[in-house]
Amino acid sequence: RQRQWQWGVHMSAPKLDASVLALDCAREVEAIGVRLREIVGRDLHRRGVVVALSGGVDSSVCVGLAAAESRR
């Protein structure tokens, strides 16, 4: 196995398998929404967001997350 140097200590690299893709999607959407609300409302002092759409997956996901959060 490969070794990584981290904070002055040799550490073994974790085994990479399909389990790293296991997500609780509802929990992740909630966590992203909470953080989005904090950034927009508290940090930026704004009431909403503007998202530019390119037609790609990433901008579509951003719009979906923003729309879901605006309904709360």
Side-chain angles (χ1 to χ4, degrees), residues 21-48:
L21 300 175
L23 294 175
D24 180 348
C25 293
R27 186 173 137 208
E28 294 302 322
V29 168
E30 176 66 25
I32 292 168
V34 166
R35 186 64 183 129
L36 184 60
R37 231 176 312 155
E38 289 174 357
I39 292 169
V40 172
R42 187 187 66 203
D43 300 346
L44 299 175
H45 306 288
R46 299 288 185 255
R47 293 178 289 165

Side-chain angles (χ1 to χ4, degrees), residues 5-6 10 19-20 30 35 39 58-60 65 69 71:
W5 184 261
Q6 187 174 359
H10 281 289
S19 70
V20 300
E30 176 66 25
R35 186 64 183 129
I39 292 169
D58 54 347
S59 62
S60 299
L65 290 168
E69 193 53 37
R71 286 185 235 129

